[in-house]
Amino acid sequence: MRQLIDFLKRWTLPSAIAVGALCYGVFATVPALDEAGDVLSPVMDTVFPLSVFSTLFVTFSKVNFHKMMPRRWHLWLALTQLLLVAVVVCIVHLTGENAEQRLLWEAALTCVIAPCASAAPVVTGKLGGDINGMTTYTLLSSLLCAVTIPLVFPMLEKGVDVTFAEASLLILQKLAVVMLLPLGLGWIVRHYVHSVYRYIMRHPDLGFYCWSVSLAITTGITVKNICHSEASGLVLFGIAGLSLAVCLLHFGIGRAIGRWQNERINCGQGMFQKNTAMAIWVSYMYLHPVASIGAGCYVLWQNIVNSVEISSTNHKQS
């Protein structure tokens, strides 16, 4: 039993991915569980946002707001993301009328243009990085995407009838609920609710385990979307492969910038860990729903990479 617990602690994220995929597979293939699935579905709809909120609240309670200042590496990551967006947009235009190729690269674009993940400070803290700088970059990245997303996608899909101002406000509204509310409550707890703050500090992995619950649910949703997709197997395989390539490219570029700026962990996480919920929303709002599978696959790839990083870090410390 002790060995099993140690294994789950070391490989928490892959275990969460496996549990999410397995649970969906069981409920999808066993007819006797249909009624139970109908009962549990609204429960999961409640558990998921609560787990995400808990993850961010616990993490942001540790943030020193006096140290939330822009860093030089923030600028380099933002400029690099804008460059990658421009490259992928050009590739999308070059695909012309080839629907399948265009779908592949639009799926990749949603992963490239998405802001830094709200949970990036969680993994950054787990790896020994600077959660203050990462939290600051997450906010700045979100503001950047509130500008770039409404500018880029109407150029690709002419039928979109959402104005720049409307799209920007929608994005900012979503990000405000996800980011600012737990950030504000975290500040209150850190400065005024000392008993809760001490409890959070005594359990440094609490936010990480809350995030693993979110990941299990996200995995189940991703597997469901893939299984119910009307796209061909070749297209789905292509989207999954391209999202993996984008994930590894982001990670490699982020680490390269990090070695240059002496911020290896922060730049690696800031560049490659993406807000896939935002990417999926962008896919449904501006593109074909199948493009959202790219973001769904991306969240699996990035958490597998995170798990390898965390396991390597723990091994070095032991």
Side-chain angles (χ1 to χ4, degrees), residues 206-217:
L206 181 60
F208 180 71
Y209 293 128
C210 289
W211 173 242
S212 68
V213 175
S214 306
L215 178 59
I217 299 173

Side-chain angles (χ1 to χ4, degrees), residues 60-141:
F60 292 157
S61 296
K62 304 174 185 178
V63 171
N64 186 334
F65 286 77
H66 297 292
K67 296 182 179 180
M68 284 184 60
M69 300 293 291
R71 272 76 158 176
R72 183 177 298 175
W73 61 268
H74 294 167
L75 175 63
W76 287 112
L77 290 192
L79 292 176
T80 303
Q81 180 175 348
L82 291 176
L83 177 60
L84 291 175
V85 168
V87 170
V88 179
V89 168
C90 290
I91 295 175
V92 171
H93 280 295
L94 290 174
T95 59
E97 300 301 322
N98 189 316
E100 290 190 350
Q101 287 189 16
R102 187 178 182 89
L103 188 58
L104 289 175
W105 286 104
E106 285 183 345
L109 178 59
T110 61
C111 299
V112 173
I113 203 171
C116 181
S118 303
V122 178
V123 180
T124 300
K126 184 75 173 176
L127 294 171
D130 176 18
I131 65 171
N132 301 304
M134 183 55 64
T135 302
T136 304
Y137 179 70
T138 302
L139 292 170
L140 295 176
S141 174

Side-chain angles (χ1 to χ4, degrees), residues 27 50 58 93 96-97 112 131 134 156 177 200 208-209 217 235 247 258 264-265 269 276:
F27 278 92
L50 285 177
V58 169
H93 280 295
E97 300 301 322
V112 173
I131 65 171
M134 183 55 64
L156 301 177
V177 174
I200 291 173
F208 180 71
Y209 293 128
I217 299 173
V235 170
C247 179
R264 187 176 60 89
I265 293 175
Q269 290 298 312
T276 51

Side-chain angles (χ1 to χ4, degrees), residues 183-252:
L183 190 65
L185 289 177
W187 181 85
I188 292 173
V189 165
R190 181 183 176 92
H191 290 89
Y192 298 106
V193 190
H194 300 297
S195 59
V196 176
Y197 176 69
R198 286 193 295 269
Y199 178 85
I200 291 173
M201 296 305 294
R202 286 198 305 268
H203 299 82
D205 291 333
L206 181 60
F208 180 71
Y209 293 128
C210 289
W211 173 242
S212 68
V213 175
S214 306
L215 178 59
I217 299 173
T218 301
T219 301
I221 295 171
T222 299
V223 174
K224 177 183 177 181
N225 290 339
I226 293 174
C227 293
H228 290 194
S229 173
E230 297 178 356
S232 67
L234 184 61
V235 170
L236 293 176
F237 183 79
I239 290 176
L242 190 56
S243 67
L244 174 59
V246 171
C247 179
L248 296 178
L249 178 66
H250 279 153
F251 184 73

